[in-house]
Amino acid sequence: MSGEKLSEFKDKIEALKSWRDPDDEMLPSKEILKGLLRISTEAATCHSAYSHYTTVKAFKKIFGGKNGPSMRLSRLASVTLNDRNESDKYIRPELARQTFEGCFNHDGSECANLWWLYAKGSPNALRITFPARPFENWCAELRKQGADVADVLYAAVKGEKDDYAFNRRNTLSWEDQRIGVKDFHVLLGNPELAGRVKDYEWRAERETRIIVRKSTGDRFVYLPLPDWLIGEMRITTSPWVTDVDYERIKRIACDCLKERWKCTKNTFRPSVLERAMDALKRSR
C-alpha cells in the first residue's frame, strides 16, 4: 500500500472509530456496517500488486480451459480449507450457495503460508501476480458488471471455542487496525458482508477478493481475463522446484499463454523462499 493511500486509509478508520459512544468501547453494528463496507471496498485498490496462488493443474484450467483464459471463482459453500469454515461460521447457508469468490494476496512479497497451503512441498504450484494498475482497471470493469472487489476483514469472535487475547474479542481487523463491534453475529449475518469476513488466524493471507453473487447450479463462475491483463502478468514457481521442474513448468506456461504473454527473466522466475520453505517442510 502506498504511503499516501495508507495515510488516507488510516484516517478513514480513525473517523469510523470516532463514531462510538464515548461511554462505550464498541461501535453499534448499524453505524459501523456502512463504514466497514466502504473501507473494505476502497482498501482493495490501495495495494502495489495482487497475487493468486494455485496449482499447476488449476493453472492449465485457468489459461487453457474450454472457457478461454478465465479466473475461476469458487462457490463459497463448496470450497475446502479455511474458506469452508468461513462459510459455515459467518454466512447464512443460502448466501454461501450464491456467493462465488476469487482470492488474491495483496502483499508485494511472497507468502509462506500460501505456498504451504497450495504446494505442501511439491513443485506443482505457481504464484500469478498482477501489477496494481492493470489489475485495478480490470476490477473497475468487473464492478460495472455487478461484482464486488474488497479486502477481507478478519474476525475474532468471543466464544467458548475461541482463545484470542481479551483485546481482540469481538473485533474486526485489517492491516494493523482493529475495531470492536457490538451485536457481532448480527453484523456478520448481514448479506452485504457475505464473502468479506474470515477468522483472525488467517490474517497473514492479506486477502483481496473478487465476489460475484449468482443463483446457479454450477460450482464455479468464470471471469474472462483480457489479453492486456495477461500481458502484464508475472509467474513465480514453487519454492520446491528442481531445475528440471522449473523448465517443465515454464513450457506449460508458454504453451497455455502462447502469444498473450512473453516469458522473460522478469515475468517467469523462481521463488525467493526456497531455503526458508525447505526448513518448514523438514519441520512438518
Side-chain angles (χ1 to χ4, degrees):
M1 189 180 293
S2 69
E4 182 179 349
K5 287 188 175 181
L6 178 59
S7 176
E8 179 183 350
F9 181 59
K10 289 188 174 181
D11 286 346
K12 289 177 180 176
I13 294 171
E14 291 305 317
L16 186 59
K17 289 179 179 178
S18 72
W19 296 352
R20 72 179 59 187
D21 184 329
D23 297 324
D24 198 326
E25 294 183 355
M26 293 188 177
L27 290 164
S29 59
K30 289 183 180 180
E31 291 184 357
I32 198 176
L33 177 60
K34 186 176 180 180
L36 284 174
L37 289 168
R38 185 184 70 246
I39 289 172
S40 172
T41 300
E42 293 183 3
T45 58
C46 291
H47 309 296
S48 60
Y50 299 82
S51 297
H52 181 70
Y53 290 75
T54 190
T55 63
V56 171
K57 181 179 180 181
F59 179 89
K60 292 178 182 179
K61 293 180 179 178
I62 291 171
F63 294 103
K66 62 181 180 180
N67 297 288
S70 302
M71 185 57 62
R72 188 176 74 174
L73 275 58
S74 300
R75 184 198 301 274
L76 194 53
S78 302
V79 295
T80 56
L81 304 173
N82 53 328
D83 295 337
R84 182 56 183 270
N85 178 60
E86 165 197 340
S87 71
D88 293 339
K89 193 170 184 179
Y90 298 127
I91 304 175
R92 295 199 299 269
E94 64 273 19
L95 281 174
R97 288 192 293 270
Q98 298 171 12
T99 301
F100 296 80
E101 61 181 26
C103 304
F104 299 84
N105 169 259
H106 57 243
D107 194 339
S109 303
E110 293 179 52
C111 178
N113 287 3
L114 288 170
W115 273 132
W116 186 258
L117 197 63
Y118 284 93
K120 291 184 174 64
S122 162
N124 294 310
L126 293 169
R127 173 183 182 243
I128 305 166
T129 301
F130 300 102
R133 187 176 295 277
F135 183 84
E136 290 163 7
N137 288 340
W138 180 53
C139 289
E141 293 299 318
L142 295 177
R143 281 172 168 160
K144 291 178 183 178
Q145 299 168 29
D148 288 338
V149 183
D151 274 6
V152 168
L153 307 173
Y154 295 96
V157 184
K158 182 179 180 181
E160 60 183 25
K161 294 184 179 180
D162 295 295
D163 189 28
Y164 299 118
F166 178 77
N167 65 349
R168 289 203 303 269
R169 291 178 178 175
N170 286 4
T171 63
L172 286 172
S173 304
W174 58 100
E175 297 299 319
D176 59 346
Q177 303 296 310
R178 182 167 61 246
I179 289 181
V181 185
K182 279 183 179 178
D183 305 321
F184 202 74
H185 290 287
V186 174
L187 175 65
L188 296 184
N190 192 293
E192 293 179 272
L193 280 176
R196 296 187 185 217
V197 180
K198 67 195 307 181
D199 281 342
Y200 180 82
E201 59 260 43
W202 295 100
R203 66 197 181 282
E205 292 186 356
R206 304 187 72 187
E207 196 172 328
T208 298
R209 286 182 174 175
I210 297 173
I211 303 167
V212 170
R213 309 198 197 287
K214 186 175 182 179
S215 296
T216 175
D218 298 331
R219 288 185 59 199
F220 306 106
V221 167
Y222 295 88
L223 302 179
L225 289 164
D227 287 352
W228 52 263
L229 180 60
I230 295 172
E232 299 286 342
M233 186 173 66
R234 300 190 299 270
I235 298 173
T236 307
T237 55
S238 162
W240 296 286
V241 295
T242 63
D243 290 344
V244 173
D245 291 322
Y246 185 83
E247 293 302 322
R248 172 178 60 84
I249 294 169
K250 181 191 289 188
R251 288 194 298 272
I252 290 172
C254 291
D255 288 345
C256 287
L257 297 168
K258 302 187 186 307
E259 69 279 357
R260 295 185 177 93
W261 175 79
K262 186 176 181 180
C263 182
T264 69
K265 289 182 179 180
N266 290 326
T267 61
F268 189 88
R269 52 196 177 193
S271 171
V272 299
L273 297 181
E274 179 180 356
R275 292 183 179 178
M277 298 305 286
D278 275 344
L280 175 60
K281 184 178 180 180
R282 289 193 299 270
S283 71
R284 295 298 172 111

